[in-house]
Amino acid sequence: MDQNSTANQPLAGDDAVVPFAVETLDVRGRAVTLGPVLDSILGRHNYPEAVNKLLAQAVTLTAMLGSTLKFDGRLTLQTQTDGAVSMMVVDFNAPDGLRATATFDANQVAEVAAKEDFRPEFLLGRGHLAFTIDQGQYPSRYQGIVVLDGISLEEAAHDYFLRSEQIPTRVRLAVGEVLTRQDEGPNTHQWRAGGIMVQFLPHSPERMRQADIHPGDAPHGTEMHEIDEDDAWLEARSLVDTVRDVELTDPALPVEQLLFRLFHERGVKAFEPHVMSDRCTCSEDKIVSMLQGLGEQDRSEMTEEGAIAVKCDFCGTDYNLDPEVVFKA
Ligand SMILES: [Zn+2]
């Protein structure tokens, strides 16, 4: 019997996270390609191309991690560093909403982006990355923090899962651009990003060996503590490591086909996709309650010529409010 079930259902297409399982390897995972959602998020910001590449990676990672949330939860990825991009915030609001914003120094970005071997993580300096999970109606709030010191977002995700959830995890992220030549008019430009992550979740806990943990501050020359990695996990992560960037961003390669290409010998099952959309959660009510929480001095600083103008950093919506109404209480 064919153990693969990637071919029996309609393809998820762009802007959808596809959960999957390779049961013979005790592996679960998620894969995604983002297209139109990324175009609309990045298109409105008008950030430099290098910033877009980094932010697209962060959005892709957030989509894969956020799609596990239930109810009306929210997952936030936030970086704060001394690099050219001093801050990024990406939110996933269940069940489908993505939004993203970045703060950067344009001159520094241009300098870093001009490097011959440029990689998006060069824009992140030293600092940290925080994942915050809010489970909506439930009071639990969880935050995991990873130190950023030149590592990529992929490596930061590995660290996060190993330290906070003790789950061996492998993540690949890639960002690409599609330029289409038009006979008439300007060429069209489209962003594409793709990601795949696998996690080792064996039924027996003694198989959860973690050879990946950093040796920490052990003095140089200390013999490394050798741990045999589980063969199944070794195989799964090796397969994911073979995924090339172009396979993650190729518009002609659906996620399901990539999964089949990687895991067909072991049998891979794809599950119902989670569709992603470009959706902000700002509203006049939220802006008003934020303003009402401000002290007297901030209130008067926000007020100009008898009006308060607030622009949403994520979606760019302008809110023009009357201070007499906002602060009437
Ligand atoms: Zn907004």
Side-chain angles (χ1 to χ4, degrees), residues 193-214:
I196 182 168
M197 62 182 278
V198 287
Q199 299 196 297
F200 185 48
L201 296 163
H203 296 295
S204 56
E206 61 273 19
R207 285 180 62 197
M208 289 273 280
R209 297 180 200 125
Q210 295 162 24
D212 254 352
I213 289 181
H214 193 271

Side-chain angles (χ1 to χ4, degrees), residues 183-194:
D183 290 339
E184 287 170 45
N187 296 338
T188 58
H189 171 278
Q190 287 166 302
W191 286 103
R192 289 195 68 76

Side-chain angles (χ1 to χ4, degrees), residues 11-30:
L11 298 176
D14 286 346
D15 299 334
V17 177
V18 177
F20 64 90
V22 186
E23 278 164 12
T24 51
L25 295 178
D26 283 328
V27 157
R28 293 199 156 252
R30 276 157 195 266

Side-chain angles (χ1 to χ4, degrees), residues 251-283:
L253 181 64
V255 156
E256 293 85 350
Q257 218 171 304
L258 175 62
L259 293 177
F260 185 81
R261 194 182 275 184
L262 289 173
F263 298 115
H264 65 96
E265 284 177 11
R266 295 296 187 177
V268 54
K269 276 187 194 146
F271 303 104
E272 182 120 354
H274 300 267
V275 174
M276 298 286 128
S277 56
D278 165 24
R279 185 165 62 81
C280 195
T281 51
C282 66
S283 68

Side-chain angles (χ1 to χ4, degrees), residues 99 280-282 312 314-317 319:
R99 61 178 195 168
C280 195
T281 51
C282 66
C312 175
F314 291 96
C315 70
T317 302
Y319 293 91

